[in-house]
């Protein structure tokens, strides 16, 4: 990894020399990175297989940055198939051009490179990046993202002695092309084979700590399918942040982290010197799989021994509902800006539209698919965003997905919701299946106002948290349950709403939300990047 911080004047001069017009604010520092994406043959679970590495690292390098920095990443695709990386939880304000999903970007062809440029505008927190197409995430290509507060903005806890990125996730011993072959053939994937922590099998990762000191763990579930319960033997987790929101600081013995979610916890090494198990075990699935790492005190005389610390029963959904409802926003903690985020009273705003998204698992043409409101998404050769920009007709139509299911038979389609710019919407994720779901929205964070069992109805609103619900970008939906979120559509662009369960997304459980400002203005949307890759019907532009 190469990372350079260069003063703004040098950068401005260099960019002028290149004759390139960048729509990034010049006053913020630049970070230039060069990422080489290749295959690597390693044995994460004891069987040699082909994984996706970045700069020979698996997981990929950390993207370590500060609010508003300009990130310039030249991504070289040395795989044998097209590639796109997406920045899970980075809002890409005004720049869905940089989102790295097939609805916004043409993929980087094998042997080619493409330079992403974006700013984590007014964002802080813990996130990750990953490949967004072709099931590549099942082979790796992911890594952690840390966005630190600018130095002038207070952090609501004392500086930790150190920070560790902890990427937890389920793993298959099969390579992603084999897994894809199974899905293309009409099958569902069986349960994963194991759980990795930072790319390693049980006992492969050690986190060193000094007795008496406090550490920040930035944990993301980068897996394909399984909810993981995270815990550390003999230590409590002080939850402080999730996906860019500082939370009310509560202690937990263990924390459920659903696929695609990120959390920061503080852990104090307050035990007698020793080594302690760190466990990430699967929930809502059988058999239970355990990922194990070790918390190692520098003066430890012992190695880990005895049974793993136990977590909640795998199917105890009450534990999960209670924990989910206890995770609240700290209204007095500032975040990226000096003024408290809590001054934005989302609970006082009138909802202008309620959208209900029902997930389902239909069989279409004899093959397993997954759907939202009875439509199983199919990608277009021309990215929706480019079709919109160049006014190419016949690629998608607005409101090609209803605001709630109509009871029609499931079909294939390219679903695009027409989101009214600046409208305030309520979105209900309704899960009538027995499998847990995890949903993500690009370009936004949303307030998770309620979670309940059964089928949502208007009475369910009585249980909403309209005061201090946490704001994040990925939420779980428990089996036979609903989750309600609210958001203001203030970020113009074409935004992916997807299942974070990889096979569900691959087989059609996603859609796009088009937030459009008819008045063309660089203040609401940055111009198309000069290096934008063209493909499909946009190729002649
Ligand atoms: C990427 O890595 C491959 C394999 O190590 C190497 O052949 C290639 O030259 C590298 N490309 C760049 C741009 O660094
Ligand atoms: C590809 O990489 C080269 C340097 O290796 C760079 O000059 C060029 O701008 C990159 N192309 C794109 C489209 O980012
Ligand atoms: C919220 O943040 C404030 C300001 O940083 C901090 O003093 C307070 O302890 C936090 N409250 C909770 C409940 O975590
Ligand atoms: C992927 O896995 C399958 C089944 O194990 C194997 O036959 C195939 O050669 C692998 N592909 C690559 C490129 O390693
Ligand atoms: C969950 O809570 C409900 C109501 O509080 C109770 O009826 C049910 O038995 C509980 N289930 C479990 C598994 O604890
Ligand atoms: C919301 O709607 C209520 C009832 O229609 C109205 O009294 C109130 O002023 C509205 N609030 C806002 C912020 O528009
Ligand atoms: C809404 O759902 C609740 C709980 O499932 C149920 O008791 C109630 O009768 C429903 N109300 C309506 C209006 O359907």
């Amino acid at each position: 990894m190469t990372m350079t911080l260069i003063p703004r004047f040098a950068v401005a001069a260099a960019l002028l020399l290149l004759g390139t017009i960048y729509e990034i604010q010049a006053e913020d520092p630049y970070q230039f990175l060069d990422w080489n994406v290749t295959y690597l043959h390693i044995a994460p679970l004891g069987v040699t297989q082909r994984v996706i590495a970045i700069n020979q690292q698996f997981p990929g390098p950390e993207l370590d940055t500060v609010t508003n920095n300009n990130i310039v990443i030249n991504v070289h695709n040395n795989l044998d198939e097209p590639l796109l990386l997406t920045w899970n939880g980075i809002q890409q304000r005004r720049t869905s051009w940089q989102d790295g999903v097939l609805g916004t970007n043409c993929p980087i062809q094998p042997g080619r490179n493409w330079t992403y440029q974006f700013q984590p505008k007014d964002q802080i927190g813990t996130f990750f990046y990953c490949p967004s197409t072709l099931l590549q995430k099942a082979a790796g290509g992911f890594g952690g993202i840390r966005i630190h507060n600018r130095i002038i903005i207070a952090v609501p806890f004392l500086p930790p002695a150190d920070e560790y990125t902890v990427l937890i996730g389920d793993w298959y011993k099969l390579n992603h092309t084999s897994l894809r072959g199974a899905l293309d053939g009409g099958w569902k994937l069986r349960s994963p084979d194991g759980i990795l922590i930072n790319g390693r099998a049980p006992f492969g990762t050690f986190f060193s700590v000094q007795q008496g000191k406090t550490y920040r763990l930035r944990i993301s579930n980068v897996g394909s399918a399984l909810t993981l319960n995270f815990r550390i033997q003999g230590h409590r987790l002080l939850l402080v942040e999730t996906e860019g929101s500082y939370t009310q600081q509560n202690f937990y013995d263990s924390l459920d982290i659903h696929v695609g979610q990120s959390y920061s916890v503080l852990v104090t090494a307050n035990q007698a010197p020793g080594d302690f198990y760190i466990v990430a075990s699967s929930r809502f699935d059988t058999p239970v799989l355990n990922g194990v790492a070790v918390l190692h005190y520098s003066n430890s005389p012992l190695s880990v021994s005895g049974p793993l610390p136990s977590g909640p029963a795998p199917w105890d959904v009450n534990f999960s509902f209670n924990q989910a409802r206890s995770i609240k926003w700290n209204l007095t903690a500032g975040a990226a800006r000096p003024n408290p985020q809590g001054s934005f009273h989302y609970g006082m705003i009138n909802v202008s539209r309620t959208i209900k998204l029902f997930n389902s698992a239909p069989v279409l043409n004899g093959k397993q698919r997954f759907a939202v409101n009875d439509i199983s998404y199919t990608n277009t050769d021309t990215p929706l965003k480019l079709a919109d920009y160049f006014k190419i007709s016949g690629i998608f139509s607005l409101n090609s997905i209803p605001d709630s299911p109509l009871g029609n038979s499931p079909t294939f389609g390219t679903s695009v919701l027409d989101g009214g710019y600046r409208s305030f919407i309520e979105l209900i994720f309704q899960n009538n299946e027995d499998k847990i779901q995890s949903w993500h929205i690009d370009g936004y964070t949303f307030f998770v106002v309620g979670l309940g069992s059964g089928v949502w109805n208007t009475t369910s609103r009585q249980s909403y948290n309209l005061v201090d619900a946490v704001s994040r970008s990925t939420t779980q939906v428990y089996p036979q349950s609903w989750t309600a979120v609210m958001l203001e559509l203030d970020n113009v662009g074409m935004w992916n709403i997807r299942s974070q369960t990889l096979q569900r997304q691959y087989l059609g459980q996603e859609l796009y939300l088009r937030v459009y400002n008819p008045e063309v203005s660089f203040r609401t949307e940055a111009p198309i990047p000069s290096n934008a890759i063209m493909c499909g019907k946009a190729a002649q532009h």
Side-chain angles (χ1 to χ4, degrees):
M1 179 175 81
T2 57
M3 180 175 111
T4 336
L5 285 172
I6 299 177
R8 61 184 158 124
F9 301 113
V11 170
L15 296 182
L16 277 177
L17 281 177
L18 288 170
T20 321
I21 300 156
Y22 289 89
E23 232 295 300
I24 326 188
Q25 286 179 10
E27 56 272 20
D28 297 305
Y30 280 75
Q31 268 174 269
F32 293 94
L33 300 142
D34 214 41
W35 283 4
N36 189 2
V37 184
T38 62
Y39 293 120
L40 198 63
H41 287 84
I42 56 171
L45 283 177
V47 178
T48 299
Q49 66 187 115
R50 194 186 55 170
V51 309
I52 296 175
I54 299 178
N55 295 350
Q56 300 293 308
Q57 297 172 52
F58 170 79
E62 182 88 30
L63 175 53
D64 195 333
T65 188
V66 176
T67 304
N68 294 355
N69 274 15
N70 294 296
I71 315 285
V72 183
I73 308 186
N74 192 349
V75 175
H76 301 264
N77 177 10
N78 282 301
L79 306 181
D80 58 354
E81 55 188 29
L83 169 76
L84 277 176
L85 294 180
T86 192
W87 318 91
N88 198 79
I90 303 293
Q91 283 182 41
Q92 303 292 4
R93 290 204 75 81
R94 309 183 303 128
T95 51
S96 65
W97 308 113
Q98 305 292 333
D99 202 28
V101 290
L102 286 177
T104 60
N105 291 73
C106 299
I108 310 168
Q109 293 301 321
R112 306 299 295 268
N113 65 294
W114 192 64
T115 306
Y116 287 84
Q117 300 172 44
F118 57 86
Q119 265 187 304
K121 192 75 187 146
D122 291 337
Q123 280 195 279
I124 54 99
T126 305
F127 310 92
F128 67 91
Y129 60 84
C130 61
S132 68
T133 71
L134 294 171
L135 216 73
Q136 288 162 350
K137 187 181 175 214
F142 43 69
I145 301 178
R146 300 176 185 183
I147 310 178
H148 300 277
N149 280 59
R150 285 180 293 152
I151 205 101
I152 53 164
I153 311 291
V155 175
F157 45 87
L158 293 172
D162 206 348
E163 296 192 2
Y164 291 116
T165 290
V166 187
L167 301 176
I168 59 177
D170 52 55
W171 191 257
Y172 289 95
K173 289 179 182 169
L174 288 175
N175 57 46
H176 76 286
T177 42
S178 291
L179 295 171
R180 211 164 64 206
L183 295 178
D184 292 340
W187 304 88
K188 269 192 238 192
L189 298 181
R190 54 170 168 68
S191 292
D193 298 308
I195 309 294
L196 303 183
I197 299 184
N198 286 354
R200 308 272 180 122
F203 303 103
T205 308
F206 283 71
F207 296 94
S208 285
V209 295
Q210 282 180 28
Q211 196 185 12
K213 294 199 167 166
T214 297
Y215 296 81
R216 179 176 186 171
L217 305 188
R218 294 179 179 258
I219 314 162
S220 295
N221 184 335
V222 295
S224 300
L226 300 176
T227 295
L228 299 175
N229 180 266
F230 183 87
R231 52 196 186 270
I232 304 180
Q233 183 182 27
H235 294 75
R236 304 184 82 196
L237 313 171
L238 182 65
L239 180 66
V240 293
E241 180 260 336
T242 182
E243 297 163 21
S245 294
Y246 288 121
T247 61
Q248 291 182 23
Q249 297 175 12
N250 294 317
F251 281 104
Y252 294 90
D253 290 326
S254 74
L255 194 61
D256 276 355
I257 305 180
H258 303 275
V259 183
Q261 291 186 331
S262 300
Y263 284 96
S264 288
V265 297
L266 298 183
V267 175
T268 300
N270 56 7
Q271 298 299 300
D275 277 12
F276 299 87
Y277 293 114
I278 297 175
V279 179
S281 62
S282 59
R283 300 203 65 214
F284 304 104
D285 198 58
T286 40
V288 172
L289 302 173
N290 291 307
V292 187
V294 177
L295 186 75
H296 169 73
Y297 281 45
S298 57
N299 55 345
S300 167
L302 308 161
S303 53
V304 280
S305 64
L308 298 178
S310 59
W315 294 93
D316 181 358
V317 76
N318 283 10
F319 167 91
S320 301
F321 269 119
N322 290 337
Q323 181 171 89
R325 291 178 185 132
S326 76
I327 297 173
K328 295 179 181 171
W329 207 9
N330 182 337
L331 297 181
T332 58
R337 288 179 174 169
N339 58 312
Q341 294 189 7
S343 59
F344 175 65
H345 293 296
Y346 70 92
M348 310 282 280
I349 304 175
N350 289 329
V351 165
S352 57
R353 180 172 170 198
T354 298
I355 298 169
K356 295 182 222 168
L357 300 178
F358 282 55
N359 53 273
S360 60
V363 172
L364 290 176
N365 299 342
K367 291 182 173 178
Q368 180 67 56
R369 294 289 300 185
F370 294 97
V372 190
N373 290 357
D374 300 316
I375 302 175
S376 187
Y377 189 86
T378 49
N379 284 299
T380 53
D381 291 339
T382 311
L384 309 176
K385 182 68 201 160
L386 296 182
D388 217 5
Y389 181 76
F390 292 118
K391 306 210 180 326
I392 303 167
S393 61
I395 306 297
F396 72 92
S397 59
L398 284 175
N399 294 327
S400 36
I401 177 170
D403 275 14
S404 56
L406 303 172
N408 297 337
S409 12
T411 53
F412 292 98
T414 298
S415 307
V416 181
L417 280 172
D418 186 5
Y421 177 50
R422 291 205 166 284
S423 64
F424 190 75
I425 64 168
E426 176 189 40
L427 205 57
I428 315 297
F429 294 105
Q430 179 67 50
N431 178 18
N432 294 340
E433 296 184 66
D434 293 325
K435 301 272 184 197
I436 191 161
Q437 311 291 322
S438 182
W439 280 100
H440 177 81
I441 304 185
D442 280 354
Y444 288 93
T445 60
F446 46 71
F447 298 97
V448 184
V449 293
L451 308 98
S453 57
V455 179
W456 182 91
N457 64 34
T458 53
T459 312
S460 312
R461 287 185 180 135
Q462 288 168 8
S463 69
Y464 283 4
N465 175 353
L466 294 178
V467 178
D468 53 8
V470 78
S471 176
R472 63 186 316 156
S473 59
T474 297
T475 186
Q476 71 274 29
V477 192
Y478 296 110
Q480 303 288 349
S481 299
W482 54 267
T483 298
V485 308
M486 289 181 177
L487 66 159
E488 187 190 5
L489 301 184
D490 59 355
N491 191 13
V492 169
M494 184 69 78
W495 301 110
N496 187 225
I497 302 181
R498 63 176 170 274
S499 170
Q500 295 276 35
T501 308
L502 196 57
Q503 65 171 338
R504 286 178 172 262
Q505 185 254 338
Y506 182 74
L507 292 180
Q509 211 159 83
E510 63 177 327
L511 66 152
Y512 282 82
L513 173 68
R514 178 184 184 256
V515 181
Y516 187 73
N517 180 7
E519 188 187 312
V520 175
S521 158
F522 291 168
R523 279 174 49 235
T524 54
E525 187 169 35
I528 187 169
S530 54
N531 65 351
I533 303 173
M534 296 299 158
C535 58
K537 288 191 179 154
Q540 62 253 37
H541 288 274

